[in-house]
């Protein structure tokens, strides 16, 4: 049975103004469980106006920070109660395993709690302004923030952006990915149930080239917060730039995993496996280039190949499954094309490299976890973001070579360094040109810890105090404390101020 999902504007579930819908497919079965209203440019405008009205009449902006935090904590509690239900919905929409979605969603209440705490503890500052004035610098909310999100972590990415925006007192208009729009609509209703006033959170599902474009071009936004591909990011930032709307952008990556010769090989292979194949490899920080000291290369590749070929691919709702399907047919084709091109350019496929055979895989967009060797900077696979279950493994000769190879990328989102030698771990991390470096770990995230990319991987960052501050602007109050009479134009003979 197909369930209808409507737009959520001004606290109401409404169909799109032209009645158009699009379907969301279950990537594991090809079924179409949801028919989702497709927001038109008029709907985008209505959502922004709803957010503006809510902002201007102060129904959320003027709620004291302590009370806003209480509401966000109530939302965190409601979310905690509904995690299993929402995790299942995420799996049906995007095909990630239920085991992964449960683990991810269990963390999400922390974002509401963290940013609620930040709002409560945020303090005005008082710069030195000389003897006769007092300067108070306030941080004030900015208005309606547009959130354009991808499909690979539909709720996590929405939650990161939304928690900071709401804690600071803003309204939001969310344009979720067309591949994962269902849970963000439910989230808006959950927030209202917790006490966020109607009109503050608006959700307008739709395609990127229509709905997303209309949102990114709308002059009524105070800020646009985007996560998605680098090329989409360039288009969106240019659109917003025409109206001088600031943009935060979390974009693509091709994260290196640097494995030094002193590691425990099995532990490092388990880490590389986790880095590369969680979410069927569809994460921005996927360990997509595994660089290994030549002295242990053979043993490491043997251990990793064994682990890759043993991954259990299958029904993502089955808790025994370790890797689900890819999100869409297009994404699978893109992956197969990247692997086939790599083969044609001289790469060796050590494991996977094809769609699996068998009845259980026939209706879904499955692709085997794939490990590729003999890839270098002359091949496309070295630079391009595949966004699928494909990683490459190459040797390095020494520390300098490892750093050079790791930095040889247009992207600069994340990296991981695997070694027991503390000095080397820190030395190498400092030399890496990327926003996040894990040492002996990968994928870890916390609401308090900045998340953002260097180079073509982004602008600004999510999480932490900077993300909260980016949802505010400074207002400087300059107060005259002197009791002397000041009259600049009283007399031209009085030259005290010349
Ligand atoms: P995408 O760029 O195709 O789409 C992202 C969002 O932008 C979607 O909501 C889409 O509808 C919208 N969009 C597409 N074209 C648009 C346009 N012309 N105008 C306005 N909106 C438009 O990306 P995706 O396939 O959903 O996600 C995968 C990408 O996201 C990968 O490149 C990945 O690295 C990146 N990503 C980055 C991070 C990070 O934190 N840096 C996290 C997750 C995903």
């Amino acid at each position: 049975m197909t369930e209808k999902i409507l737009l959520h504007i001004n606290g109401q579930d409404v169909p799109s103004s032209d009645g158009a819908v699009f379907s969301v497919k279950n990537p594991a079965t090809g079924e179409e469980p949801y028919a989702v209203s497709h927001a038109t440019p008029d709907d985008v405008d209505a959502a922004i106006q709803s957010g503006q009205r809510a902002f201007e009449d102060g129904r959320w902006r003027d709620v004291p920070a302590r009370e806003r935090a209480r509401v966000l904590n109530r939302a965190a509690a409601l979310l905690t109660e509904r995690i299993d239900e929402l995790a299942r919905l995420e799996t049906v929409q995007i095909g990630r395993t239920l085991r992964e979605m449960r683990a991810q969603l269990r963390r999400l209440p922390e974002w509401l709690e963290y940013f609620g705490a930040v709002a409560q503890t945020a303090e005005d500052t008082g710069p030195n302004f000389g003897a006769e004035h007092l300067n108070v610098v306030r941080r004030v909310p900015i208005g309606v923030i547009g959130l354009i999100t991808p499909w690979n972590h539909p709720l996590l990415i929405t939650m990161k952006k939304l928690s900071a925006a709401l804690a600071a007192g803003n309204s939001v208009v969310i344009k979720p990915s067309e591949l994962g729009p269902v849970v963000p609509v439910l989230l808006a209703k959950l927030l209202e149930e917790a006490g966020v006033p109607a009109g503050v959170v608006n959700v307008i599902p739709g395609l990127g080239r229509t709905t997303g474009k209309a949102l990114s071009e709308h002059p009524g936004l105070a800020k646009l917060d985007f996560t998605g591909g680098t090329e989409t990011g360039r288009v969106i930032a240019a659109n917003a730039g025409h109206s001088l709307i600031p943009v935060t952008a979390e974009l693509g990556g091709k994260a290196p995993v640097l494995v030094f010769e002193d590691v425990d090989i099995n532990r490092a292979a388990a880490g590389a496996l986790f880095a590369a194949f969680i979410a069927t490899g569809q994460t921005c920080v996927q360990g997509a280039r595994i660089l290994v000291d030549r002295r242990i290369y053979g043993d490491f590749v043997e251990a990793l190949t064994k682990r890759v070929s043993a991954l259990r691919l299958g029904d993502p709702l089955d808790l025994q499954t370790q890797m689900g399907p890819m999100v869409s047919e297009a994404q699978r084709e893109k992956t197969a094309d990247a692997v086939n091109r790599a083969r044609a350019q001289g790469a060796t496929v050590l494991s996977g490299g094809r769609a699996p055979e068998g009845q259980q895989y026939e209706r879904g967009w499955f692709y085997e976890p794939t490990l590729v060797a003999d890839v270098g900077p002359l091949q496309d696979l070295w630079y391009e973001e595949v966004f699928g279950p494909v990683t490459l493994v190459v040797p390095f000769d020494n520390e300098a070579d490892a750093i050079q190879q790791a930095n040889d990328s247009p992207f600069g989102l994340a990296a991981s360094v695997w070694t027991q030698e503390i000095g080397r771990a820190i030395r190498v991390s400092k030399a890496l040109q990327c926003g996040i470096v894990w040492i002996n770990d990968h994928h870890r995230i916390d609401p308090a810890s900045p998340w953002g990319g260097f180079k073509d991987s982004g602008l600004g960052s999510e999480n932490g105090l900077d993300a909260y501050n980016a949802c505010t602007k400074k207002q400087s109050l300059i107060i005259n404390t002197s009791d002397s009479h000041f009259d600049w134009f009283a007399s031209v003979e009085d030259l005290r101020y010349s």
Side-chain angles (χ1 to χ4, degrees):
M1 209 186 71
T2 306
E3 193 180 329
K4 282 199 175 118
I5 303 291
L6 301 174
L7 317 178
H8 192 76
I9 299 177
N10 199 24
Q12 305 290 319
D13 287 340
V14 291
S16 58
S17 53
D18 67 359
V21 294
F22 64 99
S23 62
V24 173
K25 289 196 178 168
N26 178 334
T29 65
E31 287 157 359
E32 297 187 355
Y34 302 106
V36 184
S37 287
H38 184 273
T40 63
D42 284 348
D43 298 321
V44 172
D45 191 52
I48 290 178
Q49 284 192 34
S50 157
Q52 280 173 333
R53 277 195 306 277
F55 186 72
E56 278 155 21
D57 70 17
R59 72 187 83 159
W60 178 246
R61 178 190 66 185
D62 294 345
V63 171
R66 188 159 305 159
E67 180 53 26
R68 282 208 300 270
R70 279 197 196 109
V71 171
L72 296 182
N73 284 337
R74 271 203 296 277
L78 286 175
L79 187 61
T80 303
E81 284 169 18
R82 295 185 58 184
I83 276 166
D84 281 353
E85 172 207 341
L86 296 175
R88 189 166 278 273
L89 285 177
E90 293 277 59
T91 295
V92 169
Q93 285 188 104
I94 60 162
R96 280 187 62 178
T97 66
L98 184 57
R99 186 169 162 239
E100 281 178 21
M101 293 326 293
R102 278 191 185 158
Q104 184 173 85
L105 266 55
R106 278 189 195 125
R107 299 277 323 272
L108 299 196
E110 293 172 31
W111 267 263
L112 293 159
E113 291 160 356
Y114 170 77
F115 281 108
V118 169
Q120 282 192 78
T121 50
E123 290 180 359
D124 297 340
T125 54
N128 193 342
F129 205 95
E132 297 194 338
H133 292 86
L134 175 66
N135 187 194
V136 177
V137 180
R138 306 173 60 225
R139 282 211 172 262
V140 295
I142 54 180
V144 183
I145 303 183
L147 314 182
I148 300 184
T149 55
W151 49 267
N152 64 328
H153 313 282
L155 202 50
L156 167 67
I157 289 174
T158 309
M159 187 59 84
K160 288 202 269 184
K161 299 179 184 308
L162 172 134
S163 303
L166 289 186
N170 300 288
S171 302
V172 296
V173 174
I174 306 169
K175 206 303 278 171
S177 166
E178 52 273 41
L179 298 173
V182 177
V183 176
V185 174
L186 300 182
L187 179 66
K189 296 193 226 187
L190 182 148
L191 288 161
E192 284 165 13
E193 197 182 327
V196 175
V200 173
V201 180
N202 306 277
V203 190
I204 45 161
L207 302 185
R209 62 176 183 273
T210 51
T211 313
K213 179 171 183 289
L215 183 62
S216 67
E217 288 174 343
H218 202 292
L221 291 178
K223 169 182 162 77
L224 192 56
D225 195 348
F226 170 72
T227 297
T230 294
E231 292 317 309
T232 316
R234 290 187 209 284
V235 172
I236 284 179
N239 290 347
H242 285 293
S243 301
L244 299 179
I245 292 166
V247 172
T248 298
E250 299 293 339
L251 307 176
K254 185 92 183 180
V257 173
L258 291 80
V259 182
F260 287 91
E261 91 291 349
D262 62 329
V263 294
D264 172 320
I265 286 192
N266 288 328
R267 194 177 152 200
L273 193 75
F274 175 61
F277 296 109
I278 203 91
T280 317
Q282 302 164 120
T283 78
C284 50
V285 292
Q286 180 208 23
R289 292 180 299 143
I290 301 171
L291 316 179
V292 186
D293 190 303
R294 197 178 288 285
R295 286 168 286 180
I296 58 163
Y297 183 75
D299 290 344
F300 180 86
V301 169
E302 191 185 332
L304 184 60
T305 309
K306 213 181 273 173
R307 296 293 310 269
V308 173
S309 52
L311 283 175
R312 277 193 306 279
L313 197 58
D315 173 6
L317 287 170
D318 181 344
L319 289 174
Q320 299 302 314
T321 296
Q322 293 177 318
M323 214 180 86
M326 303 200 63
V327 73
S328 66
E329 192 172 8
Q331 204 62 33
R332 184 172 68 173
E333 274 175 12
K334 186 174 168 238
T335 302
D337 172 59
V339 173
N340 292 338
R341 258 185 299 124
R343 274 195 184 102
Q345 292 172 0
T348 308
V349 174
L350 300 173
S351 184
R354 59 185 188 132
E357 287 169 4
Q359 214 189 344
Q360 72 270 39
Y361 303 121
E362 269 168 16
R363 291 185 306 147
W365 298 301
F366 291 92
Y367 195 83
E368 288 187 357
T370 300
L371 184 62
V372 182
D374 302 321
V375 179
L378 295 177
Q379 286 136 298
D380 299 343
L381 192 60
W382 181 260
Y383 294 110
E384 74 177 324
E385 185 187 41
V386 177
F387 219 60
V390 178
T391 190
L392 59 89
V393 60
V394 293
F396 63 76
D397 293 327
N398 51 41
E399 203 174 294
D401 184 32
I403 292 166
Q404 189 278 325
Q405 292 197 49
N407 286 338
D408 182 16
S409 172
F411 299 111
L413 186 55
S416 60
V417 179
W418 296 77
T419 178
Q420 294 306 307
E421 202 191 299
I422 181 87
R424 173 157 63 195
I426 294 170
R427 214 165 44 238
V428 171
S429 304
K430 284 163 112 177
L432 293 175
Q433 296 160 359
C434 58
I436 306 159
V437 183
W438 293 281
I439 295 170
N440 296 323
D441 216 329
H442 205 102
H443 285 301
R444 302 300 172 184
I445 184 169
D446 192 276
S449 174
W451 180 279
F454 293 2
K455 302 199 272 189
D456 285 357
S457 289
L459 294 172
S461 61
E462 293 175 328
N463 297 346
L465 296 179
D466 286 351
Y468 177 84
N469 287 339
C471 294
T472 65
K473 54 192 171 192
K474 287 179 183 170
Q475 184 189 45
S476 189
L477 305 183
I478 300 153
I479 305 154
N480 181 358
T481 57
S482 118
D483 63 355
S484 66
H485 178 66
F486 171 72
D487 185 349
W488 180 266
F489 292 110
S491 159
V492 286
E493 276 92 54
D494 185 349
L495 297 178
R496 264 186 304 161
Y497 300 105
S498 300

